[in-house]
Every structure is written in C-alpha cells, then in structure tokens.
C-alpha cells in the first residue's frame, strides 16, 4: 500500500501531469508483462486451449514432488514421425526418396518398365502403387534400400536430402517440420524426459536426418529395419543391407519395439493414425500418470486436412477410441498458431 | 626452507627426542600419501600393468581436448555379460534359472522324463545337454521362458534371484559380479561414456537384475529375445512371450544388434570369447581412437581357468587375433587384485 501511494503521488494526474503520460507508462508496463509471459511460455506456437493445457498440466504433475512425481528415467515419451513430427502428404519423405532412387536405378532395370509396382511408381502414379497394398510398397522399398553398406546408405540419404524439395512447399524435407512439435520436444527434454521416435519409417533412413531436424540422437530412433549381414570388405568391417525385411514397426508392433529397445513403458505417446493405437494404449493404460495425444490434420490451408479417406493417414478408429481413453486430440487448425519452423 | 628448518628444529633428534617418534611421523605421512594415491586411482582392484595402463591412457586420450578428443555422445562402450562382467561357470546365471524352471515345470510334463534334452537337463547332466548343441539349449530356453507376459517373466526372474545361490561360491548371482569390472563401468561413466551390455543372454532376463548389479539401465541392455505378441488381457495391455526365438545376439549378430539399437559404432568393446570377435572388430577397426579388451580366465583358485576346452568359453581364435588388432588381454590372475565385489 505504501508503495502504491508513493507511485500514486509521483504520477498523480492531480499534479497536472498529462494523462497520456500515465497511459503510456501503463501500456509500457503491460507490454513488458506480455513479453515476460511469452518468454515463460514453453509452447509459444500452441494456442491456448485444452491440448496445450493438458500437456503443461501433465509435465508439471510428473515433475513436481508429490504423489504423481516420476523419476527422470521413467519420463519416456514416444512420437510417431510421418504425420506427427512432419508432413506425410502427398507421400512420406522416405517414399519420395524411394521414388527418386527408383528413377535413378531404372536405366539398369529395363524390365521395370512393364512390371508392377515399378511401372506405376516410375510414372509417379501413387494411387496405382497404393492399390498394390503394403506388399507393393515393401517391394519398392527393399529394392531401393538394399545392396549397400549402412554407411553408404547413410551417405546416399544425406545427399538426397540436400537436393530434394517438397512438391507443394518447395522446401528441403529436413526443414519442413512442425514448429509446435519442436517446442514440445524441447519442453519435454528440459523437464527430464527422453524423447524417442517410434515410427514405421526405416530406422536408418530417419537416423540420417532426425538428429539435425529434431535433436533426437540415433539411439532414440526406433523404426522398421532391413536384414543386415556383417562382413569384412577390403579389410573394413561393414553391415550390408539385405533385400529382406527384418521388422515392420507399425500398429501392434510398436509396443513390441518399444519393449525391445527401451524396456520401459512410456508415459507419453503422440501419434496421428490408427496405426498408433497400440502405442497409445501401451503408454496410457497403466496406473502411473500418462498422456496420450493424437494430431488431427484439419488444416488444408496451411498443411493438409485428412483422416478417413487418405491411404495411410486413417484416424477413424483412434478418434472413436480417444474419449474413453482420455487421449487428447490436437486439432492442427485450432491448436497451432504456427505450423512449420522458419 | 624456512618451514623445513622450523620443523627440523621442533623434531630434531639432537634435542634428544627419541628416534622412534621421527620415524612414526614419517610413516604416518607416507601412509596418508598412499591413501590419497589410492583414492585418486579409479581402478583400485586392477593391478598396475599393461591392461590398466591401456584403459587409463585410452580414457584420457578421448576425453582430453586435442586431436583424439571425442564428444561424450560418441563415447559408447559395449560389454559382453557372462564371463566378462560375471562368472559363466559352471553354467551361466540364465542357464541355472532355466534348469530350476525345468524342475518346477517337470511334474506337469511327464514326457520330459524320457525325452532329450529334458531328461539330461532334469538330471543335471550339463555335458549331455551341451552335446545336443545350441538347438538343445534353445529348446530348453524357449520352453521355460515363454507363455507368460513380460511383466510376469520379470517377476519370476526377480523372485528366483532372491533364492538362487551359485553352486561353488554360495552367493546370490546378483552379488557375484567382478569388482574390477564394476570399477571400470563407473570410471567410464564418470568420463562421459555410455556403458551398454551386448550379450547372448536374454535381454529381458538381464534387465531384471543388471541395473541393480552394474548400474546399467534397461535401455542399455542388448541381448537375445523371444518373439512377443501384443494383446489386451482383462483390460490391460500385455506383451506375451512366445515359444519362438526372435534374435540370437551372438558372434556376427553382435555388430548388427549394436547398429539396430544404438546406431553408433562403439569405441570400446570388452568380451571374453571367440563369440565376441565380431563385436571387437566392429568397435576397433575404424579411424577413431578405440580400445578392444578380452578377459582371459586364468584364475582357477579365485574363479575359473579355461579358454580352449570349455563348452561356451572358447577364446582360441580371439587370443590368436588379438596381437594384430592391438586388443588387450586382461589376465584375471595377473591383472586383478580382487575378483568379486564384497
């Protein structure tokens, strides 16, 4: 009260200070307060709402000493990649790589011109390839992702990424990542969480760029894999990528992969399709505090809007399951103030 | 000089202080100096020699700013388990568990009494089981390690470990671990290394006790695995262990498993048998500074002495390869002042 009276005395309009000076000061103070609030906001690209509140409430709950406190080692968060951390439309980054590799390999494989799924893939007819189902896609993947060492494959992916551009946004794929998700990853890590990718994409394909793009190191990338063969070639040990699938990390396989690699149940899972349901169940159906999140692509203007119709992006069952499981739906159009990083 | 003269004056024998007092003081000072030296020694259970010097030189080399400095993220060290961190004689800890499980399950399986390898295993005839090769051992393992959830298996292993005792040393297996190796693990971690187990033992079997025994968390345990099935049982998600092998982490599979889980090449590898050769090659045959180590069991008195004759502990080829690869042989009898933790 004493302080207030003192300020009141100094700035009193009764002493014929112009009113505008008082208002200027007030606006200046409010401006500083707003800036401080923004700097304190760990998720500035998330609009205030149920999703943002749920995230912050959950993180504070497990990091504040009390009944729900969990040790940092237990704070395991798992994220799908395509469609959760970056766009998966019109095709995933890895499938764009696959199509480019096929085109580069085509001259040496004349039979591909008349054989499916190669014929449609070389023509860029994604719908026709998709009609062949997972089998057709796997065939394209294994042919383009095998026959080289893991080191050579890594170099190949890194080289492609410097040249490739997204067909709609014209930007390198490595920079076409969701800003709100980057903020979430950083927010979780700064609160002692470990942040894993658990995705159907190839583990090695993702490792070539996700550390730079999201700050996620190779040992926290869990994906699909090819069979490998250990050899000594020219006096150097190498792992040769075989034309055979080792593990497809999708659907019910995600909890299995999480157990195999991490050996702990996550307490936070973030996905964007029905193929993430098992992962969300595995994370959230337990007695510790947990948080399940699903990204709903509702923003045709800034990104894409899809859920039921798309070939890989079905979210129907997950949306129906969410209320009973208390999974939070993140509506891109409503909840994100900004979509892509600058 | 002034200080020296001052002390000299106080303790001068010329002033007829008994000589014994001077000698007592000298011994006291030397005793303190020795204690300080011991406290500074990161590996007090290692005797001075080539192995200890090589370890300390290597750690200082990659952690000291300069040409050979490596970032902490690159300081990945991998360790075999049975025979490297703990005894594997007369059988591995996991095989002792397997035999006890077989005995517990036997009443419900009357046919085992006349069927190999069950008959020999129930009779405790390890040599006869071993004669059946890896196939016989795998059969015993899969039968005893399947049919329950991963949680129930974990509880089963933890319960067994509280009761089981090593046949020769009479101690719980979890406390029958090598003191010099514990010191090495702590020394490496305090220098920014991550310390992984890469062993042929079951990942889940090891996870039930290695965190307590060695301070190695579940996500740094890479072993063999059974196929798992994801299910919702009584409203709870579970991973059911199937009676089928998923991955055997031995020999040439070790570099493959390291790549799949870690995605980085280790710079230090420590094994004790020919089955660790590929892992040591993968770690040491590269341009960065590296260290390969092999434990030679030479101490029949304090532990065991074996290399060529034993069923699983063959070291013949590794010993022959070591000089050309600059792998360091750790001779248990010569290099370890102490074998087991207290």
């Amino acid at each position: 009260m004493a302080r207030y009276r003192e300020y009141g005395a100094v700035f009193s309009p009764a002493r014929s200070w112009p009113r505008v000076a008082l208002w200027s000061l007030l606006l200046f103070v409010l401006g500083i307060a707003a800036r401080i609030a923004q700097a304190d906001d760990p998720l500035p690209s998330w609009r205030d709402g149920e999703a943002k509140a749920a995230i912050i409430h959950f993180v504070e709950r497990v990091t504040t000493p009390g009944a729900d406190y969990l040790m940092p080692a237990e704070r395991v968060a798992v994220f799908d990649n395509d469609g959760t951390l970056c766009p998966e439309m019109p095709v995933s980054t890895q499938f764009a790589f696959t199509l480019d590799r096929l085109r580069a390999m085509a001259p040496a494989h004349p039979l591909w011109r008349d054989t499916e799924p190669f014929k449609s893939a070389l023509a860029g007819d994604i719908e026709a390839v998709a009609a062949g189902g997972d089998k057709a896609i796997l065939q394209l993947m294994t042919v383009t992702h095998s026959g080289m060492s893991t080191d050579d494959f890594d170099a190949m992916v890194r080289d492609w990424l410097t040249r490739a551009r997204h067909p709609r946004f014209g930007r390198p794929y490595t920079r076409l990542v969701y800003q709100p998700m980057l903020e979430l990853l950083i927010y979780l890590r700064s609160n002692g969480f470990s942040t894993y990718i658990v995705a159907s994409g190839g583990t090695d394909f993702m490792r070539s760029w996700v550390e730079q793009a999201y700050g996620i190191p190779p040992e926290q990338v869990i994906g699909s894999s090819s069979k490998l063969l250990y050899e000594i070639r020219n006096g150097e040990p190498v792992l040769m990528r075989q034309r055979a699938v080792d593990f497809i990390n999708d659907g019910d396989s995600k909890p299995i992969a999480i157990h195999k690699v991490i050996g702990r149940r996550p307490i936070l899972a973030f996905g964007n399709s029905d193929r993430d349901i098992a992962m969300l169940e595995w994370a959230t159906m337990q007695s510790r505090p947990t948080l399940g999140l699903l990204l709903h692509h509702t923003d045709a203007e800034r990104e894409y809007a899809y859920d039921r119709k798309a070939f890989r992006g079905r979210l129907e069952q997950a949306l129906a399951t969410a209320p009973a499981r208390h999974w939070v739906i993140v509506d891109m159009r409503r909840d994100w103030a900004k979509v892509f990083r600058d």
Side-chain angles (χ1 to χ4, degrees), chain A:
Chain A
M1 276 301 266
R3 283 172 70 91
Y4 178 73
R5 270 198 223 108
E6 193 177 304
Y7 281 110
V10 172
F11 296 112
S12 167
R15 291 201 181 177
S16 59
W17 276 58
R19 278 179 186 246
V20 69
L22 184 70
W23 280 106
S24 296
L25 183 80
L26 188 68
L27 288 172
F28 178 74
V29 169
L30 285 175
I32 286 178
R35 280 188 187 201
I36 289 170
Q38 197 175 22
D40 276 353
D41 183 353
L43 304 170
S45 301
W46 290 71
R47 290 204 188 99
D48 289 335
E50 197 194 328
K52 182 172 179 169
I55 291 168
I56 291 172
H57 175 251
F58 173 72
V59 169
E60 289 178 351
R61 196 177 155 202
V62 299
T63 56
T64 306
D68 289 336
Y69 177 85
L70 294 174
M71 299 283 284
E74 294 184 83
R75 298 178 204 157
V76 174
V78 290
F79 292 81
D80 176 54
N81 182 40
D82 294 316
T84 299
L85 299 175
C86 66
E88 59 184 346
M89 291 289 167
V91 295
S92 71
T93 308
Q94 190 168 8
F95 201 70
F97 167 79
T98 303
L99 293 177
D100 280 355
R101 276 279 295 158
L102 275 177
R103 285 184 206 109
M105 292 168 74
H109 298 83
L111 289 176
W112 287 358
R113 267 176 267 156
D114 305 304
T115 321
E116 290 295 358
F118 302 98
K119 190 181 163 187
S120 297
L122 289 170
D125 187 348
I126 308 306
E127 292 304 315
V129 173
D134 285 351
K135 200 188 149 204
I137 290 160
L138 271 182
Q139 199 178 351
L140 299 177
M141 296 280 219
T142 51
V143 164
T144 50
H145 287 54
S146 62
M148 70 292 278
S149 72
T150 49
D151 278 351
D152 288 346
F153 181 73
D154 177 57
M156 197 176 274
V157 174
R158 286 173 192 269
D159 173 63
W160 177 81
L161 285 165
T162 61
R163 292 178 285 104
R165 295 292 179 273
H166 189 276
R168 175 174 159 194
F169 299 105
R171 294 172 60 174
Y173 287 94
T174 46
R175 300 202 54 221
L176 201 68
V177 295
Y178 302 140
Q179 175 65 23
M181 297 305 284
L182 292 180
E183 290 167 8
L184 176 56
L185 290 170
I186 291 166
Y187 175 51
L188 290 172
R189 277 182 224 129
S190 68
N191 278 281
F193 280 75
S194 48
T195 52
Y196 284 82
I197 289 180
V198 178
S200 61
T203 307
D204 284 350
F205 181 85
M206 293 189 284
R207 281 172 174 161
S208 296
W209 60 278
V210 299
E211 183 154 26
Q212 202 194 338
Y214 313 128
I216 295 182
E219 64 270 24
Q220 292 180 353
V221 179
I222 304 173
S224 300
S225 53
S226 302
K227 293 249 181 241
L228 299 174
L229 199 64
Y230 175 74
E231 286 177 23
I232 307 268
R233 286 202 173 187
N234 307 317
E236 298 287 333
V238 290
L239 296 173
M240 296 302 295
R241 295 177 59 90
Q242 306 298 297
R243 194 176 291 190
V245 168
D246 175 54
F247 186 79
I248 304 280
N249 191 28
D250 214 358
D252 284 3
S253 293
K254 286 194 173 188
I256 293 172
I258 290 169
H259 180 77
K260 279 162 72 163
V261 176
I262 313 178
R264 303 179 191 267
R265 279 178 78 169
I267 56 167
L268 184 155
F270 206 138
N272 81 306
S273 92
D274 288 350
R275 299 186 185 218
D276 297 315
I277 289 176
M279 175 171 87
L280 266 80
E281 288 173 346
W282 185 239
T284 63
M285 292 169 70
Q286 53 175 319
S287 56
R288 297 179 301 168
T290 64
L291 181 62
L293 296 141
L294 284 161
L295 178 60
H296 194 180
H297 292 261
T298 52
D299 200 328
E301 204 176 310
R302 296 184 299 173
E303 203 245 9
Y304 296 94
Y306 62 96
D307 50 27
R308 286 174 179 79
K309 289 168 200 160
F311 149 60
R312 279 187 69 85
R314 295 183 80 92
L315 190 62
E316 224 163 356
Q317 201 191 328
L319 284 175
T321 311
R325 299 262 180 262
H326 307 290
W327 297 339
V328 175
I329 308 298
V330 176
D331 182 305
M332 185 183 278
R333 193 181 156 87
R334 180 192 63 199
D335 291 320
W336 287 2
K338 187 177 177 179
V339 174
F340 295 114
R341 63 168 283 205
D342 290 326

